[in-house]
């Protein structure tokens, strides 16, 4: 295999693992809360900035990621309290929810620029040499990102399949009204949905900051690949979103020698359009 092609696949796997984490959060909020949250990418950016902020005051990067995830979850729960719960109570239309989420995205992004400025930031980390694996130059941060993503995905799998709250979440995703009638605490499920979505999305942002710079529009540039992953994987299906994220991450990176890096978003959009045309329900069975 051509070394350059293999290198692009390695890069695609690293980017795919980040998209996977955030896409799981996005597909859960859609599957359970019926919310297409366009602010999701900016919550990812918030996670990266909180990690950078905590790390620059001398806190270890891994502890910074955990604390930043807590901050991101708190911000998501605040948005739930102030916006989404009220919108559900008045049975707002999906169009209204989309417009509000776009407004929230702009609020978050401009708030980040107002507080921390528009220039790129980097974590306070020692420079580590890239590893030479079968002739491929693999940055250590890319391996860490992939390892962390795998651990987070395994944790999510355990939670969804083997815990009481995981089963309740699956029941609510299948039929909210039936779940409520059968005695499932829907408010608790909603809390756990935001907790999982916020944690995974923040981790995705923190990891993205490891392999690129931390910048105000990093999450906005990921929003198309995120939605493409959710649609390609079957809306509401976290496992489908993970598989689709790796497909999109790899295809995006492989396309750069021919199209240039500025058209990565276009590749994700093209995949999303093709899937909607050929198989609207996605590659895997969704909950909707």
């Amino acid at each position: 295999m051509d070394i350059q092609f293999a290198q692009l696949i390695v890069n695609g796997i690293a980017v795919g693992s980040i998209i996977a984490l955030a896409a799981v959060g996005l597909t859960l909020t859609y599957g359970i809360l019926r919310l297409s949250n366009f602010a999701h990418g900016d919550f990812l950016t918030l996670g990266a900035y909180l990690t950078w902020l905590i790390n620059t005051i001398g806190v270890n990067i891994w502890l910074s990621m955990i604390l930043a995830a807590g901050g991101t979850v708190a911000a998501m729960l605040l948005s739930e309290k102030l916006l989404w719960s009220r919108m559900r109570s008045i049975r707002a239309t999906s169009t209204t929810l989309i417009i509000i989420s776009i407004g929230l995205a702009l609020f978050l992004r401009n708030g980040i620029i107002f507080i921390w400025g528009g220039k790129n930031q980097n974590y306070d980390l020692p420079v580590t040499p890239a590893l030479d694996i079968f002739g491929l130059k693999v940055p250590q941060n890319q391996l860490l990102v992939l390892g962390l993503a795998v651990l987070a995905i395994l944790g999510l799998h355990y939670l969804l399949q083997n815990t009481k709250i995981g089963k309740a979440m699956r029941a609510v995703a299948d039929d909210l009204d039936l779940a409520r009638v059968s005695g499932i605490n829907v408010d608790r499920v909603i809390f756990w949905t935001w907790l999982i979505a916020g944690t995974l999305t923040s981790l995705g942002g923190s990891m993205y900051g490891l392999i690129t710079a931390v910048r105000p529009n990093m999450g906005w540039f990921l929003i198309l690949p995120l939605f493409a992953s959710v649609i390609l994987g079957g809306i509401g299906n976290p496992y489908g979103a993970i598989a689709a994220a790796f497909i999109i991450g790899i295809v995006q990176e492989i396309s750069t020698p021919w199209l240039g890096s500025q058209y990565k978003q276009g590749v994700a959009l093209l995949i999303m359009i093709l899937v909607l045309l050929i198989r609207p329900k996605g590659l895997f069975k969704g909950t909707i």
Side-chain angles (χ1 to χ4, degrees):
M1 187 190 288
D2 178 40
I3 288 288
Q4 188 196 6
F5 186 73
Q7 189 76 57
L8 289 169
I9 289 175
V10 169
N11 295 346
I13 290 169
V15 172
S17 60
I18 288 158
I19 296 171
L21 287 177
V24 165
L26 187 59
T27 205
L28 285 176
T29 51
Y30 193 95
I32 292 169
L33 307 175
R34 308 296 188 261
L35 171 65
S36 300
N37 191 1
F38 280 83
H40 200 78
D42 294 284
F43 279 113
L44 179 143
T45 307
L46 179 65
Y49 267 91
L50 291 175
T51 303
W52 165 75
L53 182 70
I54 297 163
N55 176 236
T56 49
I57 60 171
V59 178
N60 172 285
I61 186 67
W62 311 116
L63 183 57
S64 300
M65 284 186 182
I66 294 165
L67 294 172
T72 307
V73 168
M76 280 193 169
L77 288 171
L78 185 63
S79 72
E80 161 66 20
K81 178 80 174 166
L82 298 177
L83 293 172
W84 310 126
S85 62
R86 295 182 183 194
M87 289 302 108
R88 279 196 306 277
S89 68
I90 62 167
R91 294 194 176 274
T93 63
S94 57
T95 307
T96 304
L97 295 177
I98 287 169
I99 292 167
I100 290 171
S101 73
I102 292 170
L104 179 59
L106 292 168
F107 175 79
L108 284 169
R109 200 172 327 134
N110 288 292
I112 285 167
I113 293 168
F114 180 75
I115 296 167
W116 292 300
K119 69 179 197 291
N120 292 2
Q121 308 289 357
N122 291 294
Y123 299 142
D124 182 18
L125 293 171
V127 177
T128 52
L131 301 174
D132 194 309
I133 303 172
F134 302 115
L136 293 174
K137 297 292 180 191
V138 183
Q140 290 183 34
N141 285 345
Q142 282 192 358
L143 287 175
L144 284 171
V145 163
L146 182 60
L148 281 169
V150 169
L151 283 174
I153 288 163
L154 289 173
L156 175 77
H157 171 74
Y158 178 82
L159 186 121
L160 288 177
Q161 299 298 331
N162 301 309
T163 65
K164 196 174 174 183
I165 191 65
K167 288 166 185 170
M169 286 172 78
R170 297 209 313 263
V172 171
D174 285 336
D175 191 324
L176 189 141
D177 293 325
L178 182 62
R180 202 188 291 274
V181 169
S182 59
I184 288 171
N185 186 338
V186 173
D187 290 336
R188 187 162 169 263
V189 169
I190 290 168
F191 171 82
W192 272 91
T193 302
W194 287 117
L195 180 69
I196 295 164
T199 303
L200 293 179
T201 304
S202 180
L203 281 175
S206 303
M207 291 182 203
Y208 200 36
L210 278 175
I211 61 173
T212 64
V214 177
R215 54 189 191 275
N217 56 6
M218 61 195 288
W220 182 246
F221 285 131
L222 278 181
I223 200 73
L224 259 181
L226 288 178
F227 272 102
S229 301
V230 169
I231 290 166
L232 182 63
I235 293 170
N237 184 335
Y239 304 110
I242 291 163
F246 281 105
I247 292 168
I248 285 167
I250 291 167
V251 171
Q252 277 192 161
E253 290 299 319
I254 287 172
S255 71
T256 51
W258 294 280
L259 300 175
S261 59
Q262 68 270 32
Y263 291 110
K264 283 182 186 178
Q265 303 295 307
V267 172
L269 183 62
L270 179 64
I271 292 170
M272 188 164 72
I273 291 167
L274 288 173
V275 170
L276 287 170
L277 287 172
I278 299 162
R279 192 178 167 85
K281 290 183 179 177
L283 297 177
F284 306 93
K285 182 179 176 290
T287 58
I288 310 303

